[in-house]
Amino acid sequence: MTQILETVEKSRLTVNPLLKNKSELGQFFTPLSISKFMASLFSKDKLNNPKVLDAGAGIGSLTSAFLARLISENIGKADLHLLEIDEMLEPYLSETLALFKDDIEINSQIIIDDFIEWAAFSLLDKESLLAKDKQRFTHAILNPPYKKIKSNSNHRKLLRKAGIETVNLYSAFVALTVDLMSDGGEIVFIIPRSFCNGPYFRNFRQHLLNKTSIKHMHLFESRDKAFKDDEVLQENVIMKLEKGTAQEDVTISISTDDSFSDYKEYRYPFEKIVQPNDIEKFIHINTTNEETLIEKHPNVCYSLEELNIEVSTGPVVDFRVKENLREMPEEGTVPLFYPNHFVGASVEYPKVMKKPNAIIRNEKVEKWLYPNGHYVVVKRFSSKEEKRRIVAGVLTPESVHDPVVGFENGLNVLHYNKSGISKEVAYGLYAYLNSTPVDKYFRIFNGHTQVNATDLRTMKFPSRDILISLGKWVIKNKENVGQVEIDSKLEELLLSDRRNA
Ligand SMILES: C[S@@+](CC[C@H](N)C(=O)[O-])C[C@H]1O[C@@H](n2cnc3c(N)ncnc32)[C@H](O)[C@@H]1O
């Protein structure tokens, strides 16, 4: 069997340079070690008489790993549906299946078609065997293409008809696959981790959680190692779902890369993965088997809303108001703040940089300006080199002498009713958001470097009193407040709060 799989792997590497629409069609084929791992996740006791779907089959790497698994478990027969849009891959798929002909009886259909169309039509056509529930799949294994679905595209309309609202091909493939499964059917797939949080994938998360139970999630510690030869820099997650069964504890596993040499796994109660009262349904993946200080501490339980604080994305989109922008402050302008203006707890303004420092105050921009005051800002995009994902700063009213200020779109702004917040709370939030425990907690549900307003709205914060104590401490010791100091002060305050509770 090893020899057959190695032949498929060689074919994957040979076909790679021949692909003409590689990025257009998301043709990043799965390496053998990952395919084998994915196939190993299917439950042994359900492997008999499988009816298998491989959506976006490529050259059949995943199907062949699945077939190898069946053969190793002495299963003699399999029914396969392989869907692939690129007709150039058809002969490769046939060759892949032919390699198994002596070892297992295969009843296969290679369907060269658009999976979204094929699946949506099959589900919507009341006469089709699939719609009649007669031909649903018991197993699905997929590495779908990643590509945004435009809002007015045919794909989007078809998906909507099939009751699926989603923004990327990968989530569309998985959502449709869920609908094509029979009850108890198992789905294993690899997709970017970005669906675990953020508003755009909320419907998709809801779709999965309503119709399936999560059985297993695997993460690669190093974001650049899963697909070494294709330079895919996404943080990916491998998941196993089961259709229509009750949710139990979930296995979470991790390995540095696709050699799986340092594989570790833990069991987690589902409430730790999707918090019971979270309407956003963020999926938390903690790979350390240790609760972060934030999760452990019962009094870190307030949302920003409960603290009477709102969060908005900086309303000034600079390229839409180009004519209003000025390199340096001048008569008639007010400050326009960018992430670069915030360095630690200080504001460097004005600053010599590529971006402008000021914006002409007129009717067009007035609605986006905030009265000068204390605000906490959180950078929306942190670079990979940055140690923390959440980087917060504080605007103080004395930083500038203007009555109103603008915040550019690269910032999230924490405010109260579009006005400033109290100085102590602002510095307290600054320290809390920049702490190591918050960074660790954030990484559990956010696999990318972007921090959205919804992420901040969903996060938990300590009480107002703790934030005020933390803020007072920052104000008093400002010059000497580094990472180590912030972390130990936060821990000290949380522990004493627990003792007093
Ligand atoms: C990420 S690759 C994975 C291929 C294969 N499953 C593997 O794991 O090696 C995604 C595959 O989906 C195919 N694809 C892209 N858009 C598709 C569509 N709308 N319908 C069917 N297949 C599609 C691509 O041609 C590509 O082969």
Side-chain angles (χ1 to χ4, degrees):
M1 204 40 50
T2 314
Q3 222 175 358
I4 295 184
L5 291 181
E6 273 165 11
T7 311
V8 179
E9 182 68 350
K10 263 191 212 134
S11 159
R12 177 178 79 87
L13 298 172
T14 322
V15 79
N16 220 354
L18 307 177
L19 298 166
K20 293 197 189 76
N21 304 309
K22 193 174 158 92
S23 62
E24 179 63 15
L25 293 176
Q27 291 174 324
F28 299 98
F29 297 155
T30 316
L32 177 58
S33 57
I34 295 184
S35 307
K36 274 164 72 175
F37 174 73
M38 288 171 68
S40 77
L41 295 180
F42 290 99
S43 313
K44 185 175 172 162
D45 59 354
K46 287 192 172 181
L47 287 176
N48 256 327
N49 283 326
K51 194 162 168 36
V52 190
L53 172 68
D54 182 346
I59 61 149
S61 306
L62 293 175
T63 294
S64 39
F66 187 77
L67 288 171
R69 169 84 198 279
L70 292 179
I71 294 161
S72 75
E73 304 285 2
N74 295 320
I75 308 288
K77 213 166 103 185
D79 196 306
L80 310 175
H81 270 61
L82 295 95
L83 263 291
E84 172 54 56
I85 199 164
D86 188 349
E87 61 186 5
M88 176 223 159
L89 295 172
E90 185 171 13
Y92 291 91
L93 275 172
S94 304
E95 266 171 43
T96 300
L97 296 184
L99 294 168
F100 291 89
K101 69 178 189 313
D102 296 335
D103 300 290
I104 185 165
E105 186 189 329
I106 298 175
N107 176 11
S108 69
Q109 291 192 43
I110 297 176
I111 303 171
I112 300 299
D113 202 349
D114 179 324
F115 175 67
I116 306 283
E117 289 181 12
W118 179 85
F121 285 136
S122 310
L123 288 164
L124 290 168
D125 174 4
K126 302 240 168 337
E127 293 309 310
S128 84
L129 288 173
L130 273 163
K132 284 182 175 163
D133 246 31
K134 297 220 167 92
Q135 214 187 46
R136 302 251 164 160
F137 297 100
T138 59
H139 295 79
I141 186 162
L142 63 159
N143 174 3
Y146 313 162
K147 199 172 168 220
K148 282 216 169 87
I149 302 176
K150 293 209 181 93
S151 55
N152 54 356
S153 63
N154 198 31
H155 275 159
R156 194 65 180 265
K157 288 179 200 147
L158 264 177
L159 286 162
R160 195 163 291 156
K161 270 196 198 154
I164 293 167
E165 219 33 88
T166 198
V167 291
N168 200 297
L169 275 186
Y170 78 74
S171 42
F173 267 55
V174 174
L176 286 166
T177 299
V178 165
D179 289 354
L180 291 167
M181 303 300 289
S182 54
D183 274 348
E186 295 185 329
I187 314 166
V188 174
F189 53 90
I190 179 166
I191 59 175
R193 199 188 153 185
S194 44
F195 82 91
C196 290
N197 66 319
Y200 297 120
F201 290 101
R202 183 176 163 185
N203 279 323
F204 174 59
R205 292 192 291 273
Q206 195 78 60
H207 190 96
L208 299 190
L209 297 171
N210 286 349
K211 298 191 172 185
T212 71
S213 59
I214 302 178
K215 293 287 173 192
H216 191 135
M217 297 196 277
H218 181 85
L219 280 189
F220 296 100
E221 210 156 323
S222 159
R223 70 167 63 211
D224 50 355
K225 282 192 182 149
F227 286 75
K228 288 191 219 52
D229 37 290
D230 270 325
E231 291 168 11
V232 172
L233 284 178
Q234 288 270 12
E235 199 169 327
N236 290 300
V237 57
I238 294 173
M239 280 180 92
K240 174 184 171 188
L241 307 177
E242 197 175 74
K243 175 103 175 254
T245 54
Q247 184 66 58
E248 296 166 349
D249 289 355
V250 179
T251 303
I252 291 190
S253 59
I254 180 134
S255 62
T256 303
D257 55 27
D258 66 350
S259 70
F260 296 91
S261 56
D262 53 357
Y263 178 88
K264 291 189 275 281
E265 67 172 41
Y266 311 103
R267 296 280 286 170
Y268 271 92
F270 182 67
E271 302 78 64
K272 291 275 168 206
I273 294 176
V274 180
Q275 286 160 6
N277 48 6
D278 176 9
I279 51 164
E280 290 294 329
K281 302 287 174 214
F282 280 9
I283 296 178
H284 299 70
I285 315 180
N286 185 347
T287 51
T288 60
N289 200 28
E290 257 177 46
E291 283 188 314
T292 62
L293 191 65
I294 306 301
E295 291 168 289
K296 252 191 301 208
H297 201 285
N299 290 356
V300 181
C301 60
Y302 301 93
S303 64
L304 283 176
E305 194 183 357
E306 286 165 324
L307 294 168
N308 245 334
I309 290 171
E310 290 156 61
V311 52
S312 305
T313 311
V316 180
V317 181
D318 58 4
F319 62 85
R320 295 215 181 108
V321 285
K322 268 194 190 138
E323 68 288 358
N324 281 43
L325 305 177
R326 294 293 177 273
E327 201 178 320
M328 282 292 155
E330 58 182 62
E331 188 68 31
T333 67
V334 295
L336 177 60
F337 289 108
Y338 281 87
N340 280 354
H341 287 118
F342 299 93
V343 180
S346 316
V347 179
E348 296 182 353
Y349 185 88
K351 193 170 188 172
V352 179
M353 56 180 201
K354 278 197 200 130
K355 303 278 185 190
N357 276 281
I359 184 163
I360 302 258
R361 182 179 183 183
N362 62 13
E363 230 174 59
K364 182 171 180 189
V365 304
E366 192 66 33
K367 56 182 176 293
W368 295 320
L369 302 178
Y370 285 57
N372 192 2
H374 285 98
Y375 295 93
V376 178
V377 295
V378 177
K379 297 185 185 181
R380 286 183 63 207
F381 309 96
S382 61
S383 64
K384 284 225 183 71
E385 294 70 45
E386 217 130 26
K387 284 207 185 84
R388 289 190 320 269
R389 298 266 174 94
I390 296 193
V391 181
V394 186
L395 176 67
T396 55
E398 54 284 1
S399 316
V400 290
H401 302 291
D402 304 78
V404 292
V405 298
F407 294 103
E408 203 273 332
N409 202 244
L411 288 167
N412 295 294
V413 189
L414 275 60
H415 57 96
Y416 172 67
N417 211 0
K418 285 200 163 185
S419 303
I421 55 179
S422 95
K423 180 175 178 179
E424 289 78 17
V425 172
Y427 277 106
L429 284 168
Y430 160 83
Y432 178 73
L433 287 166
N434 282 323
S435 70
T436 305
V438 166
D439 184 62
K440 281 195 183 144
Y441 175 67
F442 187 74
R443 284 167 196 265
I444 292 174
F445 68 85
N446 188 323
H448 46 86
T449 50
Q450 200 169 324
V451 182
N452 293 310
T454 337
D455 296 334
L456 296 165
R457 277 186 212 117
T458 316
M459 279 173 63
K460 296 287 173 231
F461 292 78
S463 66
R464 202 171 178 87
D465 288 347
I466 292 196
L467 288 172
I468 289 174
S469 308
L470 196 57
K472 282 186 178 158
W473 168 81
V474 178
I475 294 164
K476 195 165 154 209
N477 301 285
K478 222 169 174 183
E479 303 309 317
N480 304 313
V481 170
Q483 190 68 63
V484 178
E485 290 76 21
I486 287 180
D487 294 348
S488 58
K489 188 67 189 177
L490 177 65
E491 189 161 358
E492 178 197 315
L493 285 172
L494 291 179
L495 288 177
S496 76
D497 185 52
R498 182 185 275 179
R499 276 197 291 271
N500 296 337

